[in-house]
């Protein structure tokens, strides 16, 4: 029995968005560079970037210097936006209405949602509300705090190489 | 791209616990009866009941009239207990620490958890806190409100047949 897991794609997409937020204005990064930055498989990263683009979180820029950039300011991209882009809009709890089966089933159709489903959906609302409070700007601020001169130098050197 | 889903087992297990809470004292129901009540596949229901038993939510009673009963009063079994019994203790978001990879990786080990992981874990805490507020007693109270004389009669007849 294994715990339900959020796909690794959510983590990758969030890190990719933080990286895009660090770029100088007018600059885009392609999926290959975004994958290289965290040593991730390029095909999967490409798939997740396409999902972020479809959800309107990033914009795809065409051309020789093409790639992705954030579609809006980092303070306006929440962790919930990223989660929804990668995992879909949910809900995670899907009610099969099994109370309508069997020897004691209600013969009425319609009616109030099952209390069990309502309990799980309320929990999902709490989850989403909390995820909405953290933006890519918060992630970047935290990254910046942990960035010493050595890492900043390596970041600049890497950027010079891939751009 | 499909949304992350909670397994149907959580829904089934919650309904099974509600049914066990409706039983007269000293009575147990086996997995076959629990499956029949909602027209569910018996093998899967058996698996989920075993998971509930391992988690201490239900107790297995041996013998000819054996089966399962709730291990504690319905007001002390929360939707979170059932979710954890079926899906495992989590967390759902697994941090792979990809910030330690690549050309700009931090060379330090240890340190504070990644802000991205922290954001998802805080949301999971909100989810769990909310799920903990709903108990099997709440579900049963709601079921009782929707129970007319016709359904009550069918329930008694079914119980007489399976016990």
């Amino acid at each position: 029995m294994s715990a339900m897991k959020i796909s690794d794609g959510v983590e990758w997409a969030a890190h990719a968005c933080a990286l895009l937020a660090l770029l100088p204005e007018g600059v885009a990064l392609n999926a290959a560079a975004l994958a290289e930055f965290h040593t991730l498989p390029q095909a999967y990263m490409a798939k997740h970037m396409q999902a972020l683009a479809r959800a309107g979180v990033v914009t795809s820029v065409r051309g020789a210097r093409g790639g992705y950039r954030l579609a809006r300011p980092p303070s306006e991209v929440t962790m919930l936006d990223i989660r929804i882009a990668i995992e879909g809009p949910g809900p995670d709890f899907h009610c099969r209405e099994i109370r309508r089966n069997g020897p004691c089933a209600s013969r009425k159709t319609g009616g109030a949602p099952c209390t069990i489903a309502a309990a799980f959906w309320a929990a999902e609302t709490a989850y989403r509300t909390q995820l909405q409070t953290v933006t890519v700007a918060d992630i970047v601020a935290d990254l910046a705090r942990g960035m010493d001169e050595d890492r900043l130098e390596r970041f600049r050197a890497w950027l010079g190489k891939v751009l």
Side-chain angles (χ1 to χ4, degrees), chain A residues 29-152:
Chain A
L29 277 182
N30 60 31
L34 287 163
E36 182 189 297
F37 189 79
H38 288 113
T39 326
L40 296 171
Q42 192 176 317
Y44 285 109
M45 183 52 98
K47 183 186 137 211
H48 297 310
M49 295 313 296
Q50 284 156 15
L52 287 172
R54 272 195 301 271
V57 171
V58 301
T59 305
S60 175
V61 182
R62 286 162 186 276
R65 298 226 157 181
Y68 293 100
R69 61 181 182 211
L70 281 186
R72 39 184 201 272
S75 62
E76 293 173 24
V77 177
T78 72
M79 291 300 107
L80 180 60
D81 295 331
I82 295 170
R83 210 273 206 180
I84 289 174
I86 304 301
E87 299 274 5
D92 299 331
F93 185 91
H94 191 86
C95 178
R96 308 274 174 202
E97 284 284 357
I98 62 170
R99 62 181 173 159
R100 305 215 181 282
N101 302 342
C104 190
S106 169
R107 282 168 183 167
K108 296 174 202 149
T109 52
C114 175
T115 336
I116 291 169
F120 281 90
W121 292 333
E124 288 184 30
T125 299
Y127 178 92
R128 285 157 177 266
T129 302
Q130 178 61 36
L131 265 193
Q132 233 166 351
T133 67
V134 184
T135 71
V136 171
D138 298 323
I139 306 299
V140 167
D142 186 76
L143 271 179
R145 272 190 295 274
M147 196 73 98
D148 56 24
E149 201 45 52
D150 165 57
R151 289 181 71 193
L152 209 54

